[in-house]
Amino acid sequence: MTETVAPSVSLADKIEWLIHHSWPDELPPAGTNIEIAKAISSRTGEDMSSTTVWKLRTGRQDNPQFKTLTALATFFGVPIGYFGFAEESSSIDEDLTFKVLLRKLRSGEIKPEVLRALVDLSPKSRWLMDELILAAAVADRRAED
């Protein structure tokens, strides 16, 4: 799966987005489904198999048990509503995106001067940058597929 600018609608995409962008800093980077399941189980106390993680990440299981969603929400520090309908979770998506952006600013992955420059652009130039960034994200997704 790909790293997108913001979480998308499907459960699989939301989980993949969390793995790529909200993995706890104090843990080793997310690796295999086995490692992900082990990390979630040890942190939440909820037994989660690597098969469950695989099914969730690939969209083969789109209606998991409540306890599975609760474990995911607890592990990633998101409200359980994040896994709900798009209309209901859009404000949560925005909050998560801002948190990830702040995290990347603090780590130096995104330069503060770039964001300042973006804010200072004219509406026409900002629209152009928006389109460029969105096109780059689409190209990245296609390159990974």
Side-chain angles (χ1 to χ4, degrees):
M1 282 247 145
T2 64
E3 294 184 43
T4 58
V5 174
S8 62
V9 178
S10 79
L11 179 62
D13 287 340
K14 287 180 177 192
I15 291 170
E16 197 67 18
W17 194 90
L18 287 172
I19 290 168
H20 286 285
H21 297 289
S22 294
W23 190 260
D25 287 334
E26 63 277 4
L27 295 179
T32 66
N33 292 331
I34 294 169
E35 294 165 339
I36 292 168
K38 184 177 176 182
I40 293 169
S41 294
S42 69
R43 179 140 303 176
T44 66
E46 185 62 49
D47 186 36
M48 186 167 302
S49 72
S50 61
T51 303
T52 297
V53 172
W54 172 76
K55 286 179 180 179
L56 290 169
R57 291 179 77 184
T58 59
R60 286 172 174 79
Q61 181 177 348
D62 60 358
N63 191 16
Q65 293 182 352
F66 183 72
K67 66 181 184 170
T68 300
L69 291 178
T70 301
L72 289 167
T74 300
F75 181 79
F76 288 109
V78 298
I80 195 137
Y82 169 74
F83 300 109
F85 297 109
E87 304 83 36
E88 298 169 9
S89 66
S90 64
S91 65
I92 298 169
D93 289 346
E94 290 175 9
D95 288 344
L96 288 174
T97 301
F98 288 132
K99 285 179 183 177
V100 170
L101 181 60
L102 184 57
R103 183 187 214 181
K104 290 184 180 280
L105 276 167
R106 288 181 176 153
S107 73
E109 291 179 66
I110 296 175
K111 298 176 186 176
E113 57 271 20
V114 171
L115 289 182
R116 278 189 224 103
L118 184 61
V119 169
D120 291 338
L121 291 175
S122 69
K124 184 177 180 180
S125 293
R126 194 173 309 117
W127 176 85
L128 182 62
M129 292 308 302
D130 289 350
E131 294 301 311
L132 180 65
I133 291 167
L134 293 172
V138 169
D140 276 355
R141 283 193 297 274
R142 287 182 182 151
E144 291 178 6
D145 288 343

